Amino acid sequence: MSAAALDRHRLSVCDILAAIEDGALAPADVVAESRSRITARDAEVGAFVTLADETASAIGGPLSGIPVGIKDIFDTSDMPTEMGSSLYAGHRPRFDATLVSMARTQGAAIVGKTVTTELASLDPAGTNNPAAPGHTPGGSSSGSAAAVAAGFCAAAYGSQTGASVVRPAAFCGIAGFKPSFRLLPTVGMKTFAWSLDTAGLFAASVRDVALFADLLTGRALRVRDELSLAGLTLGFYRTKLDDSIEPAMVDALDRTRRAAEKAGVRIIDLDEPGALEEGRDAHTAIQGYEASRALMHEQRSGGDSLGPKVKAILDDGAGYTPEEYDIARRAARVARKAANGLFESVDAIVAPSAFGPAPKGLSSTGDPTIAKLWTLTGNPVVNVPGLATENGLPLGISIVARFGRDARVLAIAAGLERTFSGV
Amino acid sequence: MSAAALDRHRLSVCDILAAIEDGALAPADVVAESRSRITARDAEVGAFVTLADETASAIGGPLSGIPVGIKDIFDTSDMPTEMGSSLYAGHRPRFDATLVSMARTQGAAIVGKTVTTELASLDPAGTNNPAAPGHTPGGSSSGSAAAVAAGFCAAAYGSQTGASVVRPAAFCGIAGFKPSFRLLPTVGMKTFAWSLDTAGLFAASVRDVALFADLLTGRALRVRDELSLAGLTLGFYRTKLDDSIEPAMVDALDRTRRAAEKAGVRIIDLDEPGALEEGRDAHTAIQGYEASRALMHEQRSGGDSLGPKVKAILDDGAGYTPEEYDIARRAARVARKAANGLFESVDAIVAPSAFGPAPKGLSSTGDPTIAKLWTLTGNPVVNVPGLATENGLPLGISIVARFGRDARVLAIAAGLERTFSGV
């Protein structure tokens, strides 16, 4: 049995489920195709660290036939969970993380564990970017984004403490969904900084990630109708970091603006309020303080075996006092309120997902600075794929909505994605 | 070497550290005394599930010489962590929980893992109450409260999703400190319900628990001066549950009121606002929904091997929809704001820690209903020991303060404790 859904370069959640519904495809076909692609091509991508022995999606359920990759910081009872760190070599959790259990309960086929940077931090792990070979796929959810971009699986789990979902999605030219803080349970996911860590999802398109999120959580998140963008107000977000935005991204933002205007959107410019500028600065103290506590034992045990970037974050973080941490937390609270206030005048915010396309080489996962603000504030963000540089490197645009408006951010992002593809 | 600090029935953090400072006691003496007491008497109490092989407090540090018991839901790299459940028999985590690392870093001697009810829920685990033999010590932090009450260790870790720190402290006649939500990191502590789970501390007296918390966290939490209660306003909290308060507790609240008035406190009565009544009701939905997700894999694997009470919570919890959960979360947010509002008119709230003293027998850990509200709101609570029934059963009084005012709640609780002891 075959179907058009499997002829494509990337696996689409929407297309696969439609083909299964139509009887054109059986769940086992998709899983077999996924395994065969991984076997054939993962040596050049390096997206997976462990493959599941058996991924039969036998129990049925709404996600039956959807091959899923799991970032290797989520506990799995049937595969090692190594956190990208030699400290966790061969580590076998007794039970699945909550999100892993939820995927299995809904019938998804977990095909393997994907490469993460060490302890989900900034030291690159060697995964290549399928959409821009020789360039970083971003991080820390490097393997998950690469696995979806390479067409190895239809969805994948990531996590974001700074910009580790939005950035790899942007660099790999796929959809990334960082939901409102705590929409997706993080139980059984390795902690880096407890007030920032956010589980997120990857899929080929915004519609795909929305349908996957809907079926995974039982929440009404799918893009139900072709939302008309006409009449919406989008705010283009301007910050003091804008001087660092690369020309290709400036151009992508211009194209986004023109496409939105053509679709009947009212555009306004939003200058970053001071409270949000201070919130972005507070991220460093909160992440450092919490990471140095969350990973206190690993830091003591790991010593110089830890990667230099994660080691620096932990060493610096240990220097923050509780008083400095409390000041940063208060700044974060003020920033969250200010973020809410932005949505008095706009339906959603448009911002760059990164300063530019994926940097060349695999020695850095890129800069999270511009996107990490929305992790601190907890607002839902979707990376919209579809734009690229003249040389074909993906450029990602972020749509940000009010806290708790996850269905809305997905719907608006899907509308924008459609204007990019010209459909 | 010996010292008066070790002649007492209970081990006092303040007295031990003063004796060590004076040179009257060496840290190793206290640890040896702790081990000897446990060996001699834990067969009749049942406070510990595992004893550490070696508890030398060799590295120095401000908590050097303080023997600590750790509830067996906190990961320890040198001892099994069995969660009170056959599902975790022999489970060995690779790294210490953050709070365990923090205690070791400060020089505390971790003497063993204390008995928890299964998965920190409501099924009793057989620990006896040293302050009321034949009565429950409360739960879920049964072993930690019993270990401090029996004089086995000077401090112990607990956790509270409903009333699992405040209630056992009350039933065992010791101090229990449930800090503001997230003051103590829960990384490496088993999750039951992520928006409620709060790590907490036990010690013999309020001054002891405050000094321990201060040295553990590096926060200014110790009771520095003998706070005068004169001029403070305390609100006695009245709810629709008051009809269920037992006569002995009604009497204890009356005695508290008279002692406070005598100390120059202004007393007012506070009727529970509707928003907080609804908050207490919302606790059931939030706990059930989150526990059934946090423990999804354990529920599936455990089946009928799970205790009936935890099984019922998980089975009921699985029935809540995301929409019902969101409604409960909104009620919780409204309740938190209403709780803040209460402290416009009072410095702290006085409330019963339980409906009465520890129930007879070991077949129940008692009723958490009256205390669980403050877990939902995240306010800091201290159980003040010192009162008892005519038959000598401990009765616990809770002091509750505004969110983030942990030093204040400890200071006021210490002041009240002093009026109880008549010093």
Side-chain angles (χ1 to χ4, degrees), chain A residues 3-241:
Chain A
L6 298 190
D7 295 338
R8 310 236 172 88
H9 172 52
R10 288 185 181 156
L11 298 174
S12 155
V13 174
C14 295
D15 291 355
I16 289 169
L17 292 181
I20 290 173
E21 172 103 21
D22 289 351
L25 207 56
D29 300 331
V30 193
V31 179
E33 174 73 14
S34 163
R35 288 185 70 81
S36 135
R37 291 179 177 199
I38 294 168
T39 306
R41 292 196 287 115
D42 196 41
E44 71 199 53
V45 177
F48 284 90
V49 58
T50 309
L51 290 183
D53 281 339
E54 180 190 338
T55 56
S57 180
I59 63 167
L63 288 175
S64 189
I66 299 300
V68 179
I70 306 289
K71 184 178 185 178
D72 203 25
I73 65 164
F74 288 89
D75 284 353
T76 43
S77 58
D78 58 346
M79 284 179 274
T81 301
E82 298 187 316
M83 323 289 183
S85 176
S86 61
L87 297 175
Y88 282 90
H91 174 58
R92 295 294 296 246
R94 194 164 285 206
F95 289 99
D96 289 335
T98 292
L99 277 178
V100 173
S101 275
M102 286 168 65
R104 293 197 210 270
T105 303
Q106 300 301 87
I110 292 178
V111 294
K113 302 297 285 288
T114 61
V115 171
T116 173
T117 61
E118 185 171 28
L119 299 168
S121 185
L122 293 170
D123 302 284
T127 305
N128 210 327
N129 186 333
H135 295 247
T136 177
S140 62
S141 310
S142 318
S144 284
V148 168
F152 294 162
C153 48
Y157 285 180
S159 70
Q160 169 159 329
T161 307
S164 291
V165 169
V166 167
R167 180 162 97 269
F171 288 175
C172 292
I174 60 173
F177 173 36
K178 182 203 83 70
S180 295
F181 189 63
R182 291 199 173 284
L183 185 89
L184 297 179
T186 55
V187 180
M189 184 184 101
K190 183 69 182 159
T191 302
F192 194 78
W194 54 84
S195 62
L196 300 168
D197 292 349
T198 309
L201 305 172
F202 300 99
S205 74
V206 176
R207 292 180 69 87
D208 289 321
V209 84
L211 181 57
F212 182 76
D214 180 309
L215 296 172
L216 180 70
T217 63
R219 292 176 174 276
L221 295 170
R222 74 186 68 186
V223 180
R224 285 179 186 277
D225 302 296
E226 298 295 354
L227 170 89
S228 168
L229 295 176
L232 292 182
T233 301
L234 294 182
F236 277 63
Y237 197 67
R238 301 160 70 104
T239 78
K240 292 190 177 156
L241 299 170

Side-chain angles (χ1 to χ4, degrees), chain A residues 129 131-133 135 170-171 173 248 357-360 387-396:
Chain A
N129 186 333
H135 295 247
F171 288 175
K360 200 165 168 58
L387 300 180
T389 67
E390 288 179 358
N391 300 323
L393 299 176
L395 289 161

Side-chain angles (χ1 to χ4, degrees), chain A residues 77 87-91 94-96 98 101-102 105 182 185 187 191 194 217-219 293-294 296-298 300-301 322 325-326 329, chain B residues 77 87-91 94-96 98 101-102 105 182 185 187 191 194 217-219 293-294 296-298 300-301 322 325-326 329:
Chain A
S77 58
L87 297 175
Y88 282 90
H91 174 58
R94 194 164 285 206
F95 289 99
D96 289 335
T98 292
S101 275
M102 286 168 65
T105 303
R182 291 199 173 284
V187 180
T191 302
W194 54 84
T217 63
R219 292 176 174 276
R293 272 71 180 176
M296 190 176 272
H297 194 185
E298 285 88 337
R300 282 213 316 253
S301 304
Y325 173 59
D326 289 347
R329 287 201 294 174
Chain B
S77 58
L87 296 175
Y88 282 90
H91 174 59
R94 192 163 287 203
F95 289 100
D96 289 333
T98 292
S101 275
M102 286 168 64
T105 302
R182 291 199 173 284
V187 180
T191 302
W194 55 84
T217 63
R219 291 177 175 276
R293 271 72 179 177
M296 192 178 271
H297 195 184
E298 286 89 336
R300 283 214 316 253
S301 304
Y325 173 59
D326 289 347
R329 286 200 294 174

